Amino acid sequence: MDRETILILEEALNASPENAVLRKQVAKGYFSLKEFEKAKAHLNIFLQNKKDAEAKLMLAKCYAELKQLSTAIIICEDLINEGKTPEVMSFYILQLVNDGQTALAIQQYTQYSSENNGWKDNELEKLLKVRQHAGDMDAMDDDDASHFMEKPEINFSEVGGMDDIKEEIRMKIIHPLTNPDLYKAFGKKAGGGILLYGPPGCGKTYLAKATAGEIQSKFISIGLEEILDMWMGNSEKNLHEKFETARRNAPCVLFFDEIDALGSKRNDLKQSAGRNLINQFLREMDGIDTDNSGLLILGATNSPWHMDSAFLRPGRFDRIIFVPPPDEQAREKILELQLKGKPCEKIDLKKVASKTDGLSGADLKMMVDLAVEEKLKDSMKSGKIEPVSTDLLLQVAKKMRSSVKDWSSTARNYALYSNASGMYDDILKFLKI
């Protein structure tokens, strides 16, 4: 549809704004011209009074093109609740990947494939790097495992702020290992699980590594794409092997990122494979047939409300710790680390930190990167190194949009309306509600 035709249709729509068929055609026209803001505006009006899967998917695509991935994903999930189709699932899974939720994307792909006679999307499989061969972990010994095991050199001294969080981790993990006789006298043993939750980009992974560094233990970081497998039973086997490797190397911190993708509520899972994997995880955490002494399990999630409640019982993830965006002291430390080794004037870190309230650690990294890029351009023009200045960092800070905002609006709803246990009281305190 060319622009002239769209303008004619839009003129007719102005004369008859209730004409839903005409409005959908105008939206389609703007979508075809890649004018996604205009298409989005018309689709939102159209969908106020209509249930139309085609229009809703088009709206999700508009948000995706406008880089508003969380909104696109929410619309897709609404469509999926109305009925899964290959087109919707392919688009939804692709947006999960684009949003960095690879493990959840793999889970959704394998589940839909299992439910629909081995449905395949070759491009998605290539993107997801889904393993096609079973038994990759069978012959793995401790030497083979070294590629995903490390001994972090960082510790709590390099984590700015978060004093309350660090003290909780000390009580649960560090002190039992350094004072085993004292804890044994009180019937406590080293090990157990801590769930770190909060907005993305706020240092949950860094904190987990620092915990391992604090006790000088080995650290195994598990991306859920390393666990999930298309073939029945292999995911459980992969998970068991990871736990066994950690047990052989105790004391060891076993860290699961995006754990909500693995620990989704079982009554939300329509296929038995997902429930079987959760049950396997719970058995591993309980250590019924094995010794979990010295095995420290840390999980990180942006969405604790999606976790099965069984994970949160005593003896499993019995400490649930909110990791908020960095406070001013932590932001100052993050800026110092990000600027280290880069050509800089004397930076007033305190001043910059005071002007970056609400930014996550990832936002601060991007801010420094943008400032460095500006100075790289200046250096290429002048032929000499132009250092990063306090003023430049403050200018860039003014343009930064907090990545925490979208998360906060979702978290607010759960904290207000699904908080009978008081689990989300820290969110209410953070949002000042």
Side-chain angles (χ1 to χ4, degrees):
M1 192 183 299
D2 58 36
R3 184 175 297 279
E4 186 177 348
T5 303
I6 295 171
L7 292 174
I8 292 169
L9 290 174
E10 196 161 29
E11 191 173 335
L13 181 61
N14 289 335
S16 180
E18 301 302 317
N19 189 326
V21 174
L22 191 56
R23 189 173 294 281
K24 185 177 177 181
Q25 287 303 313
V26 171
K28 279 185 170 181
Y30 279 124
F31 187 85
S32 68
L33 292 179
K34 299 186 177 180
E35 295 189 22
F36 301 112
E37 279 287 359
K38 291 181 178 179
K40 181 187 80 171
H42 283 291
L43 287 166
N44 274 317
I45 295 171
F46 172 78
L47 288 166
Q48 284 176 2
N49 302 308
K50 290 278 184 183
K51 288 190 74 172
D52 186 310
E54 181 191 22
K56 194 175 282 189
L57 180 58
M58 195 190 312
L59 179 62
K61 290 179 178 178
C62 287
Y63 279 108
E65 293 288 348
L66 294 167
K67 307 301 181 189
Q68 298 176 40
L69 295 182
S70 60
T71 306
I73 288 169
I74 289 169
I75 294 170
C76 285
E77 288 172 346
D78 193 34
L79 272 170
I80 289 166
N81 288 334
E82 294 170 8
K84 295 180 181 179
T85 66
E87 184 182 10
V88 170
M89 289 305 297
S90 289
F91 179 73
Y92 171 56
I93 293 165
L94 178 61
Q95 299 321 305
L96 290 175
V97 174
N98 291 339
D99 196 41
Q101 300 185 57
T102 308
L104 181 56
I106 293 174
Q107 182 196 58
Q108 291 293 323
Y109 183 93
T110 54
Q111 180 174 328
Y112 186 66
S113 176
S114 176
E115 291 170 350
N116 291 273
N117 301 315
W119 169 82
K120 287 174 68 70
D121 183 316
N122 291 328
E123 288 302 312
L124 273 179
E125 280 202 12
K126 185 178 178 183
L127 187 63
L128 292 169
K129 298 178 181 177
V130 176
R131 285 176 293 174
Q132 299 294 328
H133 302 289
D136 291 343
M137 303 287 291
D138 286 348
M140 182 177 284
D141 58 23
D142 292 343
D143 292 333
D144 297 324
S146 62
H147 72 282
F148 65 87
M149 187 185 301
E150 58 181 299
K151 200 164 184 179
E153 296 179 359
I154 61 171
N155 55 37
F156 282 172
S157 66
E158 295 179 60
V159 178
M162 299 190 189
D163 292 335
D164 292 343
I165 296 172
K166 288 187 281 192
E167 186 55 34
E168 277 206 66
I169 292 174
R170 284 190 184 98
M171 286 299 296
K172 175 69 178 177
I173 287 180
I174 297 168
H175 294 328
L177 283 170
T178 54
N179 302 280
D181 293 336
L182 178 61
Y183 270 72
K184 187 176 181 181
F186 283 90
K188 294 281 189 180
K189 63 179 182 179
I194 288 180
L195 180 66
L196 305 172
Y197 80 93
C202 289
K204 294 185 286 294
T205 303
Y206 191 80
L207 188 59
K209 280 190 177 182
T211 300
E214 193 76 7
I215 57 176
Q216 299 184 328
S217 77
K218 294 189 175 74
F219 177 81
I220 301 176
S221 179
I222 309 296
L224 296 189
E225 63 273 13
E226 298 175 54
I227 300 296
L228 298 175
D229 195 292
M230 293 179 69
W231 305 105
M232 187 70 73
N234 281 345
S235 296
E236 293 93 314
K237 186 194 299 183
N238 294 340
L239 181 64
H240 176 68
E241 288 296 332
K242 297 291 187 185
F243 270 89
E244 283 295 289
T245 300
R247 290 179 186 116
R248 288 193 295 269
N249 289 276
C252 183
V253 173
L254 191 57
F255 175 66
F256 291 89
D257 202 2
E258 294 183 13
I259 197 168
D260 52 291
L262 176 62
S264 302
K265 295 176 181 176
R266 281 170 290 185
N267 56 8
D268 291 341
L269 298 173
K270 293 182 180 178
Q271 73 170 55
S272 61
R275 291 192 293 272
N276 290 343
L277 183 57
I278 290 174
N279 291 334
Q280 179 70 34
F281 200 151
L282 296 174
R283 282 195 296 272
E284 299 291 347
M285 291 191 77
D286 290 341
I288 294 171
D289 302 316
T290 52
D291 181 10
N292 279 352
S293 295
L295 178 59
L296 317 169
I297 305 163
L298 293 181
T301 176
N302 303 330
S303 309
W305 37 84
H306 292 156
M307 293 283 292
D308 192 295
S309 60
F311 279 92
L312 310 179
R313 290 175 188 162
R316 295 168 182 170
F317 289 119
D318 49 6
R319 288 291 178 94
I320 302 163
I321 300 176
F322 177 54
V323 182
D327 58 20
E328 188 171 328
Q329 179 191 354
R331 294 197 300 274
E332 193 174 336
K333 183 69 175 180
I334 292 167
L335 287 166
E336 180 187 341
L337 291 170
Q338 290 299 325
L339 290 166
K340 190 175 181 180
K342 297 177 175 66
C344 297
E345 295 177 0
K346 185 172 175 57
I347 303 293
D348 188 342
L349 292 172
K350 193 168 188 63
K351 185 176 182 180
V352 178
S354 71
K355 300 294 184 182
T356 52
D357 187 32
L359 295 187
S360 69
D363 294 333
L364 292 169
K365 181 180 184 303
M366 180 183 288
M367 187 184 87
V368 171
D369 287 345
L370 290 172
V372 167
E373 285 175 14
E374 283 296 314
K375 284 304 174 183
L376 274 171
K377 291 175 189 174
D378 293 345
S379 299
M380 284 188 280
K381 287 178 184 176
S382 68
K384 62 179 182 178
I385 291 178
E386 302 285 352
V388 174
S389 66
T390 299
D391 286 343
L392 176 60
L393 287 169
L394 291 172
Q395 288 171 26
V396 176
K398 287 180 182 178
K399 301 174 186 175
M400 293 296 297
R401 180 183 180 275
S402 172
S403 62
V404 175
K405 286 185 177 178
D406 288 343
W407 180 90
S408 295
S409 62
T410 301
R412 180 181 184 275
N413 291 332
Y414 282 98
L416 284 173
Y417 306 115
S418 299
N419 192 31
S421 67
M423 177 175 164
Y424 306 131
D425 286 352
D426 284 336
I427 294 178
L428 294 173
K429 185 178 177 183
F430 162 65
L431 296 175
K432 298 177 182 176
I433 296 174

